[in-house]
Amino acid sequence: MTYIMCVRNITKGRFGNEPGATHFLDVPSGQTPAPAHKTSKRDWIKSVQKDAITGSESGVPVGDILFYVHGYNNTPEQVVTRHRKLQNGLAKHGYKGTIISFDWPSADTALNYLEDRHDAKQTMLRLVNEGIKTFASLQRPDCRINQHILAHSMGCYVVREAFDDADDIASIAQKNWTVSQIMFVAGDVSSRAMRDGASKSSSLYRHCVRMTNYYNPYDNVLTLANVKRIGVSPRVGRIGLPDRVPSKAVDIFCGAYYKEKIDPELTALRKAHTWYFDDDVFLRDVHHTIDGAIDREKIPGRRPTSKGNLALTALD
């Protein structure tokens, strides 16, 4: 079963591109999300919790939930395709938990960038309020399920803004809804705004145990020259985190690996932004990050760089 929190409208019997109510979907294998897959929030949560359990420690059930937050210009069909690539790719390396896609309303055209940001802003708080906070409130001493987030492209903006907005609402801010691992992939947010002490990112850092940023300097979708993105500052998914970040944050430089293993001639421009979902080395690294059993500097396939961060590499 594929679990999706969809906050799109419904038009002509299909999910649209505008903000709508929150729909909790159980999408059968091989099918694309449709309104017919809606179920009650109560039943959906019970199913997610059951599938999230991966084993036990000292007789106590433990497990993992990974929230996947997609980028702009994604249809529901594209969202579920990447969801399943993550699910299958992580399972190959030992991930036994479940995945929830947070499907916010984005259109199916690259020129819709600014409208997608506007629609994301209207729905992003539900990621915390109806997703993360809900599962956090169900934590019990006799069942411990860790929550994680993997956000791609504009999905990183969705996560950062959702955390920031949630801390401005007393009824949410006063609750414990800390997540374990937050992973930004090709992040479409300002690098400068991710510095330690920046008001926009302080909630993000405060509510996670570890923040990992995967970036690729060859990502042409995130260039300032891109006409859709004119006037915005350099993005964290292209240049990495700023110099001053909390100790819980770590940069993973993917440029050398991408140029050597994915696109040596640097001709596949769009691929530089989306290759992560199809790459076994990246997915292995994500699994180790979620698992947390190995120190971040000792994860296989990572090596130190001259800039003091870490680089993704293929195993020998």
Side-chain angles (χ1 to χ4, degrees), residues 142-215:
D142 61 344
C143 184
R144 297 193 296 270
I145 297 177
N146 289 321
Q147 298 187 76
H148 319 276
I149 298 174
L150 187 149
H152 178 249
S153 189
M154 195 186 289
C156 302
Y157 167 79
V158 171
V159 172
R160 190 194 66 179
E161 294 295 302
F163 277 50
D164 184 48
D165 286 355
D167 261 358
D168 292 334
I169 300 174
S171 60
I172 301 177
Q174 293 171 3
K175 303 293 184 179
N176 178 17
W177 48 275
T178 295
V179 300
S180 180
Q181 306 289 334
I182 293 180
M183 292 155 282
F184 276 11
V185 183
D188 191 5
V189 294
S190 165
S191 175
R192 182 178 61 241
M194 294 295 295
R195 70 187 185 280
D196 193 11
S199 59
K200 275 294 184 181
S201 300
S202 59
S203 295
L204 182 79
Y205 289 130
R206 183 162 54 250
H207 289 287
C208 75
V209 175
R210 172 82 68 221
M211 190 274 168
T212 303
N213 179 60
Y214 297 90
Y215 74 101

Side-chain angles (χ1 to χ4, degrees), residues 40-52:
S40 71
K41 182 178 181 180
R42 179 180 178 181
D43 289 345
W44 186 83
I45 289 171
K46 288 176 63 177
S47 294
V48 170
Q49 281 191 300
K50 180 180 178 181
D51 286 354

